[in-house]
Amino acid sequence: MAKRKIEEYTFADAYIGSFTRNLMSRKDMMRLASCRDLKAAEAVLQEFGYGEAKELYDDDIEWFIRREQNKLFNLIYDTVPERKELSMCLFPYDYHNVKVCLKSEFLGITPTEDHLMSNGDIDWKHMVAMVRDRNFTFMPTVMKEAIIEATDLFGRSGDPQEIDIILDKACYKQMLQAAEETGEDFLIGIVKRQIDILNLKTFVRLRQMKKPWSFFQKVYLAGGNISESFFFSAWEENYSQIADKLTPYGLSEAMAKGGAKLSETGDFALFEKLCEDALMEFNKKAKYESFGIVPIAGYWYAKELEIDNLRIILTGILIGSTPEQIAEKLREPYV
């Protein structure tokens, strides 16, 4: 895919840039978290362009979240010059749908819309048909090969975890390929940072579970900045030692503070939050770009994270959490 000229994004940059000004700050999110109920939360949400949220009157937070994810998808793809340029953002939804299709098949049930994502690069109805019929004509080669491998391994082992491992590797391989095709350092960098974070999370969880190194080797995702040999050398080290070595990768604070909390309490929440904050810190580089695909991608990641934060806030309001309890779980916003 040839890299587009900056002037081809003039309209998209200006239009989507206008929505960037409506993103919620941490202060805004805390005001939302202080609402007494979901009906009161709707009024605050409307100030930031969310419109009516009738789903919240039925306490149906997940359908509200899905609606907003679909709105974001449509906004981006009705505006950018070519869909393929940001397809890497959609692949996780496609691979989620593949997992649902395969696991449903092996359980002898039919996948339903409730479990499938509607904002992937491949329409979910087409995905269901392609996986069911093993018709790979319009499917990316990486995905097709992963489905064949996952089906074969599950047939021999009966372990559904094999499906997740194979498809996760294929997903991030395809994401990185798509980013590299754009020739944009920012897009390549953010995919690599995502891979690093996923590997680091897996590394920490497997250590806490006392799993052998060989298991991490099996699930390690290639393509990031942190090599497999880095994790091998750190396998027996304490978290503070590992944190020092992660400084060049922008993940030192997550490991230092999150690892300390994990060692004390066994709670992963702070570690995972700080990892996501590190990803957003990288994404904020997009704010310094005014033209081209980068500011659009930056907004996409920013809005996805805001929607994830809304899920945390609205769920907290529903179950009666205090604003302080909600605040502990919130990810760092873009603004």
Short mmCIF file of all heavy atoms in Angstrom, two decimals, residues 248-296:
data_model
loop_
_atom_site.label_atom_id
_atom_site.label_comp_id
_atom_site.label_asym_id
_atom_site.label_seq_id
_atom_site.Cartn_x
_atom_site.Cartn_y
_atom_site.Cartn_z
N PRO A 248 14.30 1.59 28.78
CA PRO A 248 14.35 1.96 27.35
C PRO A 248 13.05 1.69 26.60
O PRO A 248 12.84 2.22 25.51
CB PRO A 248 15.49 1.09 26.79
CG PRO A 248 16.27 0.65 27.97
CD PRO A 248 15.30 0.55 29.09
N TYR A 249 12.17 0.86 27.18
CA TYR A 249 10.94 0.47 26.50
C TYR A 249 9.71 1.22 27.03
O TYR A 249 8.58 0.94 26.63
CB TYR A 249 10.73 -1.04 26.65
CG TYR A 249 11.90 -1.85 26.19
CD1 TYR A 249 12.77 -2.45 27.12
CD2 TYR A 249 12.18 -2.01 24.84
CE1 TYR A 249 13.88 -3.18 26.70
CE2 TYR A 249 13.28 -2.75 24.41
CZ TYR A 249 14.12 -3.33 25.35
OH TYR A 249 15.22 -4.05 24.95
N GLY A 250 9.93 2.17 27.95
CA GLY A 250 8.83 2.96 28.47
C GLY A 250 7.91 2.24 29.41
O GLY A 250 6.78 2.68 29.65
N LEU A 251 8.36 1.13 29.99
CA LEU A 251 7.51 0.31 30.86
C LEU A 251 8.09 0.13 32.26
O LEU A 251 7.64 -0.72 33.02
CB LEU A 251 7.27 -1.05 30.21
CG LEU A 251 6.44 -1.01 28.92
CD1 LEU A 251 6.54 -2.34 28.17
CD2 LEU A 251 4.99 -0.68 29.23
N SER A 252 9.07 0.96 32.61
CA SER A 252 9.72 0.84 33.90
C SER A 252 8.77 1.12 35.06
O SER A 252 8.72 0.37 36.05
CB SER A 252 10.92 1.79 33.97
OG SER A 252 11.55 1.71 35.23
N GLU A 253 8.00 2.21 34.96
CA GLU A 253 7.10 2.57 36.06
C GLU A 253 6.03 1.52 36.27
O GLU A 253 5.69 1.18 37.42
CB GLU A 253 6.44 3.93 35.77
CG GLU A 253 5.52 4.38 36.90
CD GLU A 253 4.86 5.72 36.63
OE1 GLU A 253 4.99 6.24 35.51
OE2 GLU A 253 4.18 6.23 37.54
N ALA A 254 5.49 0.99 35.19
CA ALA A 254 4.47 -0.05 35.31
C ALA A 254 5.01 -1.26 36.07
O ALA A 254 4.33 -1.82 36.94
CB ALA A 254 3.98 -0.47 33.93
N MET A 255 6.25 -1.63 35.75
CA MET A 255 6.83 -2.79 36.40
C MET A 255 7.23 -2.50 37.84
O MET A 255 7.02 -3.33 38.73
CB MET A 255 8.08 -3.25 35.62
CG MET A 255 8.67 -4.58 36.06
SD MET A 255 7.70 -6.01 35.48
CE MET A 255 6.58 -6.25 36.85
N ALA A 256 7.77 -1.30 38.09
CA ALA A 256 8.22 -0.95 39.44
C ALA A 256 7.05 -0.83 40.41
O ALA A 256 7.00 -1.52 41.43
CB ALA A 256 9.02 0.35 39.41
N LYS A 257 6.10 0.03 40.09
CA LYS A 257 4.96 0.26 40.99
C LYS A 257 3.96 -0.89 40.96
O LYS A 257 3.49 -1.35 42.01
CB LYS A 257 4.26 1.57 40.63
CG LYS A 257 5.11 2.81 40.85
CD LYS A 257 4.34 4.07 40.52
CE LYS A 257 5.18 5.32 40.76
NZ LYS A 257 4.43 6.56 40.40
N GLY A 258 3.66 -1.36 39.76
CA GLY A 258 2.71 -2.46 39.64
C GLY A 258 3.27 -3.75 40.21
O GLY A 258 2.56 -4.52 40.85
N GLY A 259 4.58 -3.98 39.97
CA GLY A 259 5.21 -5.19 40.50
C GLY A 259 5.28 -5.18 42.02
O GLY A 259 5.09 -6.21 42.66
N ALA A 260 5.52 -4.00 42.59
CA ALA A 260 5.58 -3.89 44.05
C ALA A 260 4.22 -4.22 44.66
O ALA A 260 4.12 -4.96 45.65
CB ALA A 260 6.02 -2.49 44.46
N LYS A 261 3.16 -3.68 44.06
CA LYS A 261 1.80 -3.95 44.54
C LYS A 261 1.46 -5.42 44.39
O LYS A 261 0.85 -6.04 45.27
CB LYS A 261 0.81 -3.10 43.74
CG LYS A 261 -0.65 -3.27 44.12
CD LYS A 261 -0.97 -2.54 45.39
CE LYS A 261 -2.47 -2.52 45.64
NZ LYS A 261 -2.83 -1.80 46.88
N LEU A 262 1.88 -5.99 43.29
CA LEU A 262 1.62 -7.40 43.02
C LEU A 262 2.33 -8.29 44.04
O LEU A 262 1.76 -9.27 44.54
CB LEU A 262 2.08 -7.73 41.60
CG LEU A 262 1.78 -9.10 41.04
CD1 LEU A 262 0.29 -9.40 41.07
CD2 LEU A 262 2.30 -9.20 39.61
N SER A 263 3.57 -7.95 44.36
CA SER A 263 4.34 -8.74 45.32
C SER A 263 3.71 -8.67 46.71
O SER A 263 3.71 -9.65 47.46
CB SER A 263 5.78 -8.24 45.38
OG SER A 263 6.43 -8.41 44.15
N GLU A 264 3.14 -7.50 47.05
CA GLU A 264 2.57 -7.31 48.38
C GLU A 264 1.20 -7.96 48.53
O GLU A 264 0.88 -8.56 49.57
CB GLU A 264 2.42 -5.81 48.67
CG GLU A 264 3.74 -5.07 48.83
CD GLU A 264 3.55 -3.57 48.87
OE1 GLU A 264 2.38 -3.12 48.97
OE2 GLU A 264 4.56 -2.84 48.81
N THR A 265 0.37 -7.83 47.49
CA THR A 265 -1.03 -8.23 47.61
C THR A 265 -1.48 -9.31 46.65
O THR A 265 -2.56 -9.89 46.83
CB THR A 265 -1.94 -7.00 47.41
OG1 THR A 265 -1.81 -6.55 46.04
CG2 THR A 265 -1.54 -5.86 48.35
N GLY A 266 -0.71 -9.54 45.59
CA GLY A 266 -1.15 -10.48 44.55
C GLY A 266 -2.16 -9.88 43.60
O GLY A 266 -2.73 -10.58 42.76
N ASP A 267 -2.39 -8.56 43.69
CA ASP A 267 -3.38 -7.87 42.87
C ASP A 267 -2.72 -7.32 41.60
O ASP A 267 -1.77 -6.55 41.67
CB ASP A 267 -4.00 -6.73 43.69
CG ASP A 267 -5.17 -6.07 42.97
OD1 ASP A 267 -5.43 -6.43 41.81
OD2 ASP A 267 -5.81 -5.19 43.58
N PHE A 268 -3.27 -7.71 40.45
CA PHE A 268 -2.72 -7.29 39.16
C PHE A 268 -3.24 -5.94 38.70
O PHE A 268 -2.75 -5.39 37.71
CB PHE A 268 -3.09 -8.32 38.08
CG PHE A 268 -2.31 -9.60 38.16
CD1 PHE A 268 -2.76 -10.65 38.95
CD2 PHE A 268 -1.14 -9.77 37.44
CE1 PHE A 268 -2.05 -11.83 39.03
CE2 PHE A 268 -0.42 -10.96 37.50
CZ PHE A 268 -0.88 -11.99 38.30
N ALA A 269 -4.25 -5.39 39.36
CA ALA A 269 -4.98 -4.23 38.83
C ALA A 269 -4.08 -3.04 38.55
O ALA A 269 -4.15 -2.43 37.48
CB ALA A 269 -6.11 -3.84 39.78
N LEU A 270 -3.23 -2.66 39.50
CA LEU A 270 -2.37 -1.49 39.31
C LEU A 270 -1.37 -1.72 38.18
O LEU A 270 -1.14 -0.84 37.35
CB LEU A 270 -1.63 -1.15 40.60
CG LEU A 270 -0.67 0.05 40.51
CD1 LEU A 270 -1.44 1.33 40.15
CD2 LEU A 270 0.10 0.23 41.82
N PHE A 271 -0.80 -2.91 38.14
CA PHE A 271 0.16 -3.24 37.09
C PHE A 271 -0.48 -3.10 35.70
O PHE A 271 0.09 -2.47 34.80
CB PHE A 271 0.69 -4.66 37.29
CG PHE A 271 1.48 -5.20 36.13
CD1 PHE A 271 2.73 -4.68 35.82
CD2 PHE A 271 0.97 -6.23 35.36
CE1 PHE A 271 3.45 -5.16 34.74
CE2 PHE A 271 1.69 -6.72 34.28
CZ PHE A 271 2.93 -6.18 33.97
N GLU A 272 -1.67 -3.66 35.54
CA GLU A 272 -2.33 -3.62 34.24
C GLU A 272 -2.74 -2.20 33.88
O GLU A 272 -2.63 -1.78 32.72
CB GLU A 272 -3.52 -4.57 34.24
CG GLU A 272 -3.09 -6.03 34.36
CD GLU A 272 -4.22 -7.01 34.12
OE1 GLU A 272 -5.39 -6.59 34.26
OE2 GLU A 272 -3.94 -8.17 33.81
N LYS A 273 -3.19 -1.43 34.87
CA LYS A 273 -3.55 -0.04 34.62
C LYS A 273 -2.33 0.76 34.15
O LYS A 273 -2.41 1.53 33.18
CB LYS A 273 -4.13 0.60 35.88
CG LYS A 273 -4.25 2.12 35.81
CD LYS A 273 -4.65 2.72 37.14
CE LYS A 273 -4.14 4.13 37.32
NZ LYS A 273 -4.26 5.03 36.18
N LEU A 274 -1.20 0.58 34.80
CA LEU A 274 0.00 1.33 34.44
C LEU A 274 0.54 0.91 33.08
O LEU A 274 1.12 1.73 32.36
CB LEU A 274 1.07 1.15 35.53
CG LEU A 274 0.75 1.81 36.87
CD1 LEU A 274 1.78 1.44 37.92
CD2 LEU A 274 0.66 3.33 36.73
N CYS A 275 0.34 -0.34 32.72
CA CYS A 275 0.71 -0.78 31.36
C CYS A 275 -0.13 -0.05 30.32
O CYS A 275 0.40 0.42 29.30
CB CYS A 275 0.53 -2.29 31.22
SG CYS A 275 1.83 -3.29 31.97
N GLU A 276 -1.43 0.05 30.57
CA GLU A 276 -2.31 0.76 29.64
C GLU A 276 -1.97 2.25 29.61
O GLU A 276 -2.04 2.89 28.55
CB GLU A 276 -3.77 0.55 30.04
CG GLU A 276 -4.24 -0.88 29.96
CD GLU A 276 -3.99 -1.51 28.61
OE1 GLU A 276 -4.27 -0.85 27.59
OE2 GLU A 276 -3.50 -2.65 28.55
N ASP A 277 -1.58 2.80 30.75
CA ASP A 277 -1.17 4.21 30.79
C ASP A 277 0.08 4.43 29.94
O ASP A 277 0.23 5.47 29.29
CB ASP A 277 -0.90 4.65 32.23
CG ASP A 277 -2.18 4.79 33.05
OD1 ASP A 277 -3.28 4.72 32.46
OD2 ASP A 277 -2.07 4.98 34.28
N ALA A 278 0.99 3.45 29.95
CA ALA A 278 2.20 3.56 29.14
C ALA A 278 1.87 3.55 27.65
O ALA A 278 2.51 4.24 26.85
CB ALA A 278 3.16 2.41 29.47
N LEU A 279 0.86 2.77 27.28
CA LEU A 279 0.42 2.75 25.88
C LEU A 279 -0.16 4.11 25.50
O LEU A 279 0.12 4.64 24.42
CB LEU A 279 -0.62 1.65 25.66
CG LEU A 279 -1.16 1.51 24.24
CD1 LEU A 279 -0.05 1.15 23.26
CD2 LEU A 279 -2.28 0.48 24.18
N MET A 280 -0.96 4.70 26.40
CA MET A 280 -1.54 6.01 26.11
C MET A 280 -0.45 7.07 26.05
O MET A 280 -0.54 8.01 25.25
CB MET A 280 -2.58 6.37 27.17
CG MET A 280 -3.23 7.73 26.96
SD MET A 280 -3.90 8.00 25.28
CE MET A 280 -5.24 6.82 25.27
N GLU A 281 0.57 6.94 26.86
CA GLU A 281 1.67 7.92 26.82
C GLU A 281 2.32 7.91 25.44
O GLU A 281 2.66 8.97 24.90
CB GLU A 281 2.71 7.58 27.89
CG GLU A 281 3.70 8.69 28.17
CD GLU A 281 3.05 9.98 28.66
OE1 GLU A 281 2.04 9.91 29.38
OE2 GLU A 281 3.55 11.06 28.28
N PHE A 282 2.47 6.73 24.87
CA PHE A 282 2.99 6.64 23.50
C PHE A 282 2.00 7.26 22.52
O PHE A 282 2.38 8.01 21.61
CB PHE A 282 3.27 5.19 23.11
CG PHE A 282 3.91 5.04 21.76
CD1 PHE A 282 5.28 4.95 21.63
CD2 PHE A 282 3.13 5.00 20.60
CE1 PHE A 282 5.88 4.83 20.37
CE2 PHE A 282 3.72 4.89 19.35
CZ PHE A 282 5.09 4.80 19.24
N ASN A 283 0.72 6.97 22.70
CA ASN A 283 -0.30 7.48 21.78
C ASN A 283 -0.37 9.00 21.78
O ASN A 283 -0.74 9.61 20.77
CB ASN A 283 -1.66 6.89 22.16
CG ASN A 283 -2.73 7.20 21.13
OD1 ASN A 283 -2.54 6.98 19.94
ND2 ASN A 283 -3.87 7.73 21.58
N LYS A 284 -0.01 9.63 22.89
CA LYS A 284 -0.08 11.09 22.97
C LYS A 284 0.88 11.77 22.00
O LYS A 284 0.75 12.98 21.74
CB LYS A 284 0.20 11.55 24.41
CG LYS A 284 -0.96 11.28 25.36
CD LYS A 284 -0.64 11.76 26.77
CE LYS A 284 -1.80 11.49 27.71
NZ LYS A 284 -1.53 11.95 29.10
N LYS A 285 1.83 11.02 21.46
CA LYS A 285 2.71 11.59 20.44
C LYS A 285 1.91 12.08 19.23
O LYS A 285 2.33 12.99 18.51
CB LYS A 285 3.74 10.55 19.98
CG LYS A 285 4.73 10.14 21.06
CD LYS A 285 5.69 9.09 20.53
CE LYS A 285 6.70 8.66 21.59
NZ LYS A 285 7.65 7.65 21.08
N ALA A 286 0.75 11.47 19.02
CA ALA A 286 -0.09 11.85 17.88
C ALA A 286 -0.62 13.27 18.01
O ALA A 286 -0.97 13.91 17.01
CB ALA A 286 -1.26 10.87 17.74
N LYS A 287 -0.67 13.80 19.24
CA LYS A 287 -1.18 15.15 19.44
C LYS A 287 -0.29 16.21 18.80
O LYS A 287 -0.73 17.33 18.55
CB LYS A 287 -1.32 15.45 20.94
CG LYS A 287 -2.42 14.65 21.61
CD LYS A 287 -2.82 15.24 22.94
CE LYS A 287 -1.80 15.05 24.01
NZ LYS A 287 -2.29 15.50 25.34
N TYR A 288 0.95 15.85 18.56
CA TYR A 288 1.90 16.81 18.00
C TYR A 288 1.96 16.75 16.47
O TYR A 288 2.78 17.41 15.85
CB TYR A 288 3.28 16.59 18.61
CG TYR A 288 3.25 16.67 20.12
CD1 TYR A 288 3.31 15.52 20.90
CD2 TYR A 288 3.10 17.89 20.76
CE1 TYR A 288 3.25 15.58 22.28
CE2 TYR A 288 3.03 17.96 22.15
CZ TYR A 288 3.11 16.81 22.90
OH TYR A 288 3.03 16.88 24.28
N GLU A 289 1.08 15.91 15.90
CA GLU A 289 0.97 15.81 14.44
C GLU A 289 -0.37 16.42 14.03
O GLU A 289 -1.42 16.06 14.58
CB GLU A 289 1.04 14.35 13.99
CG GLU A 289 2.35 13.65 14.33
CD GLU A 289 3.49 14.06 13.42
OE1 GLU A 289 3.20 14.62 12.34
OE2 GLU A 289 4.65 13.84 13.80
N SER A 290 -0.34 17.33 13.09
CA SER A 290 -1.58 18.00 12.65
C SER A 290 -2.14 17.44 11.35
O SER A 290 -3.33 17.64 11.07
CB SER A 290 -1.33 19.51 12.48
OG SER A 290 -0.89 20.08 13.69
N PHE A 291 -1.31 16.76 10.58
CA PHE A 291 -1.74 16.34 9.25
C PHE A 291 -1.40 14.86 9.02
O PHE A 291 -0.48 14.31 9.63
CB PHE A 291 -1.06 17.19 8.18
CG PHE A 291 -1.27 18.67 8.38
CD1 PHE A 291 -0.26 19.46 8.89
CD2 PHE A 291 -2.48 19.26 8.07
CE1 PHE A 291 -0.44 20.81 9.09
CE2 PHE A 291 -2.68 20.62 8.26
CZ PHE A 291 -1.65 21.40 8.78
N GLY A 292 -2.16 14.24 8.13
CA GLY A 292 -1.90 12.85 7.78
C GLY A 292 -2.73 11.89 8.62
O GLY A 292 -3.68 12.26 9.31
N ILE A 293 -2.37 10.61 8.56
CA ILE A 293 -3.13 9.55 9.22
C ILE A 293 -2.87 9.50 10.72
O ILE A 293 -3.70 9.02 11.50
CB ILE A 293 -2.80 8.18 8.58
CG1 ILE A 293 -3.83 7.12 8.98
CG2 ILE A 293 -1.39 7.72 8.93
CD1 ILE A 293 -5.21 7.36 8.43
N VAL A 294 -1.72 10.01 11.18
CA VAL A 294 -1.33 9.87 12.59
C VAL A 294 -2.32 10.51 13.56
O VAL A 294 -2.75 9.87 14.53
CB VAL A 294 0.10 10.39 12.82
CG1 VAL A 294 0.43 10.44 14.31
CG2 VAL A 294 1.11 9.51 12.10
N PRO A 295 -2.73 11.79 13.39
CA PRO A 295 -3.68 12.36 14.35
C PRO A 295 -5.03 11.64 14.36
O PRO A 295 -5.70 11.58 15.40
CB PRO A 295 -3.83 13.82 13.89
CG PRO A 295 -3.33 13.86 12.49
CD PRO A 295 -2.29 12.79 12.39
N ILE A 296 -5.39 11.04 13.22
CA ILE A 296 -6.65 10.28 13.17
C ILE A 296 -6.52 8.99 13.98
O ILE A 296 -7.40 8.63 14.76
CB ILE A 296 -7.02 9.98 11.70
CG1 ILE A 296 -7.25 11.30 10.95
CG2 ILE A 296 -8.24 9.08 11.62
CD1 ILE A 296 -7.40 11.15 9.45
#
